[in-house]
Amino acid sequence: MSRQTADSAVVIGLEVHLQLNTATKIFCGCPTRFGAPPNSQVCPVCLGFPGVLPVLNRQVLRYGIRVALGLNCSIQPKIVFHRKNYFYPDLPKAFQISQYDLPLGSSGFVDLENKKVRINRVHMEEDAGKLIHKEGEPASLVDYNRCGIPLLEIVSEPDLCSPEEAYAYLKTLKGILQYLEVSDCDMEKGSLRCDANVSLRPQPDVLGAKVEIKNLNSFKAVARSLSYEIRRQGEILEEGGRVVQETRLWDDVKGVTQGMRSKEFAHDYRYFPEPDLVPFSVSTEEVEAVRAALPELPAQRARRFMAAYGLPPADARQLTAEKATADYFEQCVKALPAPVENKRGKVFANWIVSDISREINERGLENIQALGFPPSSLIELIGLVESGAISGKMAKEVFIESLASKKSPAAVVAAKGMSQVTDRQAIREAALAVIQEQPKAAEDFRNGKAQALMFMVGQLMKKTKGAASPAISQEILKELLGGENS
Ligand SMILES: [Zn+2]
């Protein structure tokens, strides 16, 4: 099988676990502070003592509805919890309270640039504790603080066809979740976790065996592990073998997946309705109240940016994908004197989607805030260009220097003695030299070829190493040539 055929038969679905940022746990009043000393945020309910009764945290339900609506799901009005039975040392009750056949939300979707990815379900559940294995210790330790932390599980349909699409889906999903402000969405803290399911169709109408990949600690790890797994499964099929349905762990250092245990089937968990939490209904009014309070989401915000600031769709999409970036952009344009001209929005957008985004990516930063270049600095930098103090080319240098020195753009310009040549005499001398060196262009311009002027402005910029003001250069060249176009 060639790589091409393997790629076209790839089927990927993702399961995301989102930790909600409620003040207390899902079924008890224990606090949820991250990084608290081990076993300091526990009580008889989350430790599963006999005779205790769980009570659903109302905020978890509201956040669950908010996320389900944000992902375009329909809400299941009858709330039913199930017990998912399994034994593991980090699970003192030997079951997890989750949702089974009646998830809170279902049949939603997320729009990617070129694709609609369907959301199968969004359901509420509790987290388990954490085992701590210390090198050289004969035993493992367990921290139950995480037991009962509220989670939402968001399951996509297997609509994704490549690691790149899986990555784009996760980025888009995280963007939406950040706008909804229900979680810090921090993968390093484990607030956002992802498991990937991937299979290859051996023939177009035959489903392949599904492999689940766990232990994915970053979006990059998701994409890398999928690439590895697609190659591995492709090679097995190519040799006429059969892919085994199993769970595999991703080793980020070695860059490989390793078999863990054969995939449990749902009935292994012996799901049954949680007897301690009676089913109840959510009223239409309650759902509609949550819907009415939904914030503007990335897709809506992108449409507004296009209409209000005349931005092209690609820029609007890039600016709004992350809430922090969109907020940054709006802080910039709102600081401008009203009415905001479309053109000014575009100037800020250009800087953010190009130079600023490039630095964020190259430095591997979490978001625009981490760059240390506040909106006030960008406003100052663009102001320096627009007032003619520095050229656009110089502005790029000032930007980099400002990041390195942590000085404001104006301070960088002052310290380095940078300034655009606006001295008309100096530009006139350079212009005269250009006319002398480029007689053909000068004649073309005199004969009515407007483009020849731009060529000469370019030559003049080169001569002055980008320091001459383009506007003044153009004006002086026209004056000196005195052609039909002047
Ligand atoms: Zn508790």
Side-chain angles (χ1 to χ4, degrees):
M1 192 186 290
S2 73
R3 210 182 114 70
Q4 190 51 47
T5 38
D7 276 357
S8 57
V10 173
V11 180
I12 298 168
L14 298 177
E15 281 177 27
V16 167
H17 282 94
L18 180 73
Q19 186 178 312
L20 298 175
N21 60 6
T22 53
T24 55
K25 292 185 179 180
I26 184 168
F27 299 122
C28 64
C30 287
T32 54
R33 206 158 40 83
F34 181 80
N39 301 308
S40 64
Q41 300 183 152
V42 290
C43 74
V45 175
C46 52
L47 288 174
F49 281 22
V52 296
L53 288 173
V55 178
L56 177 63
N57 180 341
R58 186 168 277 274
Q59 185 71 333
V60 173
L61 178 63
R62 274 198 216 105
Y63 278 1
I65 296 172
R66 190 172 161 89
V67 168
L69 291 176
L71 301 177
N72 308 294
C73 289
S74 354
I75 302 297
Q76 164 58 245
K78 191 181 176 197
I79 305 296
V80 182
F81 284 97
H82 274 73
R83 285 190 183 181
K84 181 180 178 179
N85 299 281
Y86 67 94
F87 173 77
Y88 202 67
D90 65 5
L91 191 71
K93 291 186 296 203
F95 64 84
Q96 177 192 24
I97 303 178
S98 181
Q99 292 194 283
Y100 185 48
D101 54 352
L102 292 173
L104 177 62
S106 57
S107 311
F109 64 87
V110 167
D111 271 322
L112 303 189
E113 205 171 339
N114 307 312
K115 183 170 223 172
K116 203 181 255 318
V117 179
R118 292 169 302 153
I119 300 293
N120 173 289
R121 60 190 281 148
V122 174
H123 76 240
M124 301 174 278
E125 63 183 28
E126 60 178 340
D127 207 347
K130 204 160 77 183
L131 286 179
I132 301 158
H133 312 282
K134 281 195 174 155
E135 193 83 28
E137 294 277 332
S140 290
L141 300 170
V142 64
D143 176 8
Y144 288 126
N145 281 351
R146 214 174 62 181
C147 279
I149 294 278
L151 298 179
L152 289 182
E153 184 171 321
I154 303 164
V155 183
S156 83
E157 294 287 355
D159 288 349
L160 301 157
C161 300
S162 69
E164 294 74 27
E165 262 183 25
Y167 187 86
Y169 164 78
L170 286 171
K171 283 283 258 195
T172 308
L173 179 65
K174 182 179 170 186
I176 295 169
L177 297 171
Q178 281 175 330
Y179 273 79
L180 292 168
E181 295 182 323
V182 294
S183 168
D184 62 18
C185 298
D186 189 335
M187 274 195 107
E188 278 176 27
K189 286 191 206 162
S191 310
L192 189 71
R193 287 167 249 161
C194 176
D195 298 333
N197 289 307
V198 56
S199 65
L200 298 189
R201 288 176 185 272
Q203 281 151 29
D205 52 346
V206 178
L207 277 176
K210 194 165 77 177
V211 169
E212 184 179 15
I213 316 172
K214 285 186 178 284
N215 198 33
L216 300 168
N217 295 321
S218 67
F219 290 176
K220 277 199 184 107
V222 174
R224 284 179 64 213
S225 69
L226 285 169
S227 296
Y228 174 84
E229 203 40 44
I230 290 164
R231 212 169 41 240
R232 187 187 72 86
Q233 294 181 26
E235 280 166 13
I236 293 174
L237 294 175
E238 209 173 330
E239 288 160 13
R242 217 172 57 88
V243 175
V244 180
Q245 173 160 326
E246 61 178 344
T247 299
R248 296 177 70 87
L249 287 183
W250 171 246
D251 184 328
D252 207 46
V253 178
K254 290 186 192 146
V256 298
T257 64
Q258 275 154 345
M260 190 178 133
R261 56 182 174 195
S262 60
K263 170 86 184 148
E264 310 95 336
F265 291 95
H267 61 252
D268 284 347
Y269 289 126
R270 287 184 57 249
Y271 278 100
F272 65 85
E274 166 59 61
D276 292 340
L277 285 161
V278 283
F280 66 96
S281 300
V282 187
S283 68
T284 318
E285 292 75 48
E286 218 168 324
V287 174
E288 290 314 309
V290 176
R291 194 193 303 276
L294 281 179
E296 184 184 36
L297 293 173
Q300 289 163 289
R301 204 171 187 184
R303 281 196 291 276
R304 181 165 63 79
F305 278 14
M306 283 159 65
Y309 308 113
L311 300 180
D315 286 4
R317 219 186 147 86
Q318 192 180 335
L319 278 181
T320 53
E322 278 187 38
K323 188 170 183 292
T325 313
D327 288 348
Y328 183 102
F329 171 76
E330 288 214 291
Q331 278 168 32
C332 289
V333 289
K334 283 194 176 134
L336 300 173
V340 177
E341 290 170 60
N342 287 354
K343 228 172 73 188
R344 303 291 298 278
K346 181 81 179 103
V347 175
F348 285 99
N350 284 347
W351 269 93
I352 297 170
V353 301
S354 56
D355 294 75
I356 291 181
S357 294
R358 188 194 58 230
E359 291 303 316
I360 294 169
N361 291 339
E362 279 180 6
R363 290 156 199 244
L365 300 173
E366 174 72 13
N367 60 33
I368 198 164
Q369 281 159 357
L371 187 61
F373 194 74
S376 60
S377 288
L378 185 59
I379 292 168
E380 192 175 292
L381 182 62
I382 290 174
L384 287 166
V385 178
E386 291 185 348
S387 70
I390 57 169
S391 67
K393 198 175 159 212
M394 286 171 165
K396 292 181 189 290
E397 275 174 57
V398 172
F399 168 59
I400 297 297
E401 182 59 31
S402 176
L403 289 181
S405 64
K406 307 269 173 233
K407 282 186 195 150
S408 82
V412 169
V413 168
K416 299 202 113 190
M418 291 166 100
S419 75
Q420 179 167 237
V421 179
T422 52
D423 172 354
R424 300 185 73 94
Q425 189 50 40
I427 295 177
R428 180 176 289 269
E429 277 163 29
L432 282 168
V434 169
I435 292 170
Q436 209 163 36
E437 287 159 21
Q438 307 288 344
K440 169 95 173 55
E443 204 187 316
D444 283 351
F445 178 73
R446 287 194 183 103
N447 291 334
K449 260 197 182 170
Q451 287 145 313
L453 182 70
M454 292 328 290
F455 168 75
M456 295 177 80
V457 170
Q459 292 298 309
L460 200 155
M461 299 301 289
K462 216 162 140 186
K463 204 173 251 320
T464 58
K465 299 193 168 58
S469 151
I472 299 176
S473 302
Q474 201 169 331
E475 196 186 308
I476 290 181
L477 274 165
K478 272 189 192 173
E479 204 180 286
L480 291 172
L481 291 164
E484 293 297 303
N485 290 295
S486 60

